[in-house]
Amino acid sequence: MPCAALRRLLTPLLLVLASGASLCFAQDIASFEKKITVKQLANGLTVVIMERPEAPIFSFYTVVDAGSVQDPKGETGLAHMFEHMAFKGTPEIGTTNWPAEKLALQKEEAAYQALDQEREKRIGQDPRKLKQLEEAFAAAQKDAAQYVVPNQFPEIVEENGGVGLNAATSDDDTAYFYSLPSNRLELWAYLESSRYAHPVFREFYKERDVVMEERRMRTDSNPVGRMVEQYLAAAYTAHPYGIPTVGWASDVTGVTVTEAQKFFHEYYVPANMTIAIVGDVKAAELIPMLEKYFAPIPSGPKPEDLRTVEPTQGSERAVTLMEQSQPWYLEGYHRPDYRDPDDAVYDAISDILSNGRVSRLYRSLVRDKKIAVAAAGFSGLPGTKYPGLFSFYAVPAPGHTPQEMADAIHVEINLLKTQDVGDDDLQLFKTRAKADLIRGLANNAGLAQQLAIYQLRYGDWRELFRQLERIDKVSKADIRRVANKTFNDTNRTVTEIVNASTQAKSAAPAAKGTK
């Protein structure tokens, strides 16, 4: 069967034709090579172009190799701010009068710097002066706001048929993406290149307040959000993976435009960015367009990678949160980064433990023992670029406790360490992995994302397909070896939510009996 036809059938047939899928991919990598062009501009920007003229549209995915781990000390949450600044516009878009707005923005920043300096005084802070500076900053904000045309950038995209405009920040990187009709390719090149060549940090402090509200909603007012934040902070003592992507509250409320500009000029350089464009485009026509619009973006050296390595954990770490909420259990074990030879083995463990209703954790905790309403084990938190965590979680069913979740999870872990997984389990993992890859390549947006990330992380988009070779090589012995190497008490961090009311009630009789 031709590969294109096989892709259209997707999962149902693939689940019983694993070997056929492998043959198809062997053929597909050659066919992809005919359609893909990789171009590095003189300023260091890498662009991956895939010609896919199935419909008159294209998608792009820009990934900047800077995430929250690059946040400077005392400025956590700064990388995330660029997600909120992404589509605020340029000197030509989003303003009624750029020369006047530029001057107003300079005055706004000067007013904020004066206010910030007074706020930071530990000794001799003058309340009257502080109030005057607050009023001056508010007035400067109002003056700058009068020139803003809200949402003009996204409106231009939407008016020209654009869909899916969005941005995302992780610990590892920051991404920007949307899709447009192919006859708007040059408009896209102009819009996107302008954002990097001439960034305007308009409404920065307004968006900073939005980010702070986001933190309140997702973390400060959310027991599970607080649990995850404490879990990562306990698991990492040195590496910035222990710092929340949204930032610590005190840092979020203090980060400035001046600091953002410094971060931008260090990390948003072409050498630190990769763009993938997939759809009804022709590389021969697109490359001159890229040269015209993107090549003038000022070059700069690719930033140095992080030097900090998380020390080996020597003992179990545990955090308990007393909440008026649903109990939760979460534990994790340090594991190597995505480049490790055993990366595919961790994928196998995650699949066997957690993929659907036939997975081991679901069958054991949810279906058979009926002690949990959900349970899973997975990698990817907080990231994959650096050594991360293999995490397990379970949500207790009514009447059951986090400790029961821990005991049941450890039973399944011990089975992985002492008994080989079944042939069917291992083969089903390999088949599903191939099917998942095909799903990810089923549309322009998914292709663009995968090509950009693999080109950035490996320096070669072909690794997207070569991962199948690593998956095929995973053995039963590998799973037992990696489980024994990783899932050890001294390598474990535990975080749980205990219902405070239930805890108080259960403790009451014991307390009474001691009188």
Side-chain angles (χ1 to χ4, degrees):
M1 177 181 291
C3 290
L6 182 58
R7 282 197 298 275
R8 284 194 291 271
L9 289 175
L10 293 178
T11 311
L13 187 56
L14 282 170
L15 291 176
V16 295
L17 291 177
S19 60
S22 296
L23 177 61
C24 177
F25 275 109
Q27 298 167 352
D28 252 2
I29 192 167
S31 66
F32 267 68
E33 286 177 328
K34 296 176 182 178
K35 301 173 185 177
I36 292 179
T37 301
V38 178
K39 173 70 175 179
Q40 186 173 63
L41 304 185
N43 60 8
L45 177 67
T46 298
V47 183
V48 183
I49 304 165
M50 179 172 178
E51 300 179 12
R52 194 170 183 261
E54 297 185 5
I57 56 175
F58 75 94
S59 300
F60 84 96
Y61 193 90
T62 298
V63 58
V64 181
D65 198 12
S68 61
V69 295
Q70 273 73 42
D71 286 341
K73 187 175 182 180
E75 299 169 17
T76 60
L78 185 54
H80 177 236
M81 278 299 302
F82 287 89
E83 176 185 333
H84 288 256
M85 290 286 101
F87 307 115
K88 289 293 183 180
T90 68
E92 291 77 31
I93 300 171
T95 183
T96 59
N97 185 337
W98 171 240
E101 184 189 20
K102 181 179 180 181
L103 182 60
L105 287 172
Q106 291 171 349
K107 291 180 178 179
E108 178 189 67
E109 182 61 6
Y112 184 81
Q113 290 290 337
L115 172 60
D116 191 49
Q117 186 175 8
E118 186 66 24
R119 281 176 175 169
E120 292 299 312
K121 284 185 178 179
R122 292 177 177 268
I123 300 174
Q125 189 182 87
D126 185 342
R128 291 180 59 188
K129 183 178 180 181
L130 186 62
K131 183 177 180 181
Q132 291 172 351
L133 291 171
E134 288 173 344
E135 292 173 349
F137 173 60
Q141 274 190 299
K142 185 177 180 180
D143 183 45
Q146 69 177 306
Y147 304 106
V148 176
V149 181
N151 302 315
Q152 189 174 32
F153 190 102
E155 285 175 0
I156 291 173
V157 172
E158 291 170 8
E159 288 167 0
N160 284 274
V163 295
L165 179 143
N166 214 332
T169 311
S170 71
D171 289 64
D172 294 341
D173 52 52
T174 309
Y176 307 93
F177 45 91
Y178 52 90
S179 303
L180 276 169
S182 53
N183 62 1
R184 294 294 186 269
L185 188 59
E186 187 160 9
L187 173 66
W188 165 82
Y190 163 72
L191 291 174
E192 286 302 300
S193 62
S194 295
R195 292 202 303 109
Y196 301 114
H198 309 290
V200 176
F201 297 98
R202 56 174 57 96
E203 298 186 309
F204 181 88
Y205 294 104
K206 178 181 176 181
E207 286 299 323
R208 193 184 68 175
D209 293 341
V210 172
V211 171
M212 190 59 207
E213 186 57 36
E214 181 181 321
R215 181 189 158 82
R216 291 190 189 100
M217 179 179 67
R218 297 182 180 179
T219 303
D220 300 336
S221 300
N222 185 330
V224 176
R226 291 196 295 275
M227 176 188 69
V228 173
E229 185 172 88
Q230 291 299 310
Y231 168 62
L232 298 178
Y236 289 92
T237 60
H239 195 276
Y241 266 170
I243 298 172
T245 302
V246 73
W248 299 115
S250 59
D251 290 349
V252 173
T253 56
V255 70
T256 70
V257 167
T258 300
E259 291 162 348
Q261 290 171 332
K262 181 179 178 182
F263 186 95
F264 181 89
H265 290 303
E266 181 174 359
Y267 291 103
Y268 278 69
V269 292
N272 208 38
M273 299 165 62
T274 299
I275 304 175
I277 305 154
V278 177
D280 188 18
V281 299
K282 289 183 171 60
E285 298 174 2
L286 180 53
I287 289 175
M289 201 178 294
L290 295 171
E291 294 281 4
K292 175 182 176 181
Y293 290 100
F294 286 90
I297 298 174
S299 62
K302 184 172 176 60
E304 291 186 8
D305 204 352
L306 288 174
R307 294 183 179 180
T308 304
V309 176
E310 181 67 21
T312 300
Q313 186 169 323
S315 62
E316 182 178 274
R317 300 168 186 168
V319 178
T320 300
L321 283 73
M322 304 297 293
E323 302 279 358
Q324 299 289 344
S325 71
Q326 162 72 48
W328 270 72
Y329 181 78
L330 175 65
E331 73 174 33
Y333 303 81
H334 291 276
R335 55 145 293 178
D337 64 33
Y338 72 99
R339 297 167 297 184
D340 188 81
D342 286 325
D343 187 54
V345 182
Y346 288 103
D347 290 341
I349 293 173
S350 178
D351 184 273
I352 292 166
L353 288 174
S354 309
N355 198 330
R357 291 174 178 268
V358 298
S359 65
R360 290 187 173 191
L361 287 174
Y362 182 89
R363 291 201 313 258
S364 176
L365 278 71
V366 180
R367 188 192 70 184
D368 298 340
K369 296 177 182 176
K370 294 182 174 57
I371 62 174
V373 297
F378 61 96
S379 291
L381 182 72
T384 61
K385 182 179 176 182
Y386 305 99
L389 298 171
F390 193 103
S391 303
F392 296 86
Y393 79 88
V395 183
H400 296 278
T401 67
Q403 185 57 51
E404 290 178 88
M405 305 300 103
D407 294 341
I409 287 171
H410 296 162
V411 167
E412 296 303 318
I413 289 175
N414 286 331
L415 285 175
L416 284 179
K417 295 167 76 172
T418 58
Q419 298 179 16
D420 284 341
V421 300
D423 292 331
D424 290 344
D425 285 342
L426 185 58
Q427 188 57 56
L428 191 55
F429 152 66
K430 295 179 180 182
T431 303
R432 281 192 295 226
K434 295 162 188 172
D436 289 343
L437 178 56
I438 285 180
R439 288 192 200 95
L441 305 181
N443 57 67
N444 291 344
L447 269 167
Q449 179 178 358
Q450 297 278 35
L451 292 173
I453 291 174
Y454 274 82
Q455 183 67 36
L456 173 68
R457 292 283 165 248
Y458 293 96
D460 187 352
W461 60 266
R462 294 171 185 82
E463 289 296 325
L464 173 60
F465 295 95
R466 291 173 184 150
Q467 65 171 310
L468 294 175
E469 299 173 9
R470 295 187 284 272
I471 288 170
D472 274 333
K473 291 177 181 177
V474 174
S475 68
K476 299 176 185 180
D478 288 330
I479 292 174
R480 287 184 65 174
R481 173 178 55 80
V482 169
N484 278 282
K485 178 179 72 173
T486 306
F487 303 136
N488 298 307
D489 295 356
T490 57
N491 189 34
R492 182 164 62 215
T493 299
V494 175
T495 310
E496 61 182 11
I497 295 177
V498 174
N499 185 281
S501 298
T502 303
Q503 185 78 357
K505 289 178 182 178
S506 63
K512 185 177 180 179
T514 59
K515 288 182 180 179

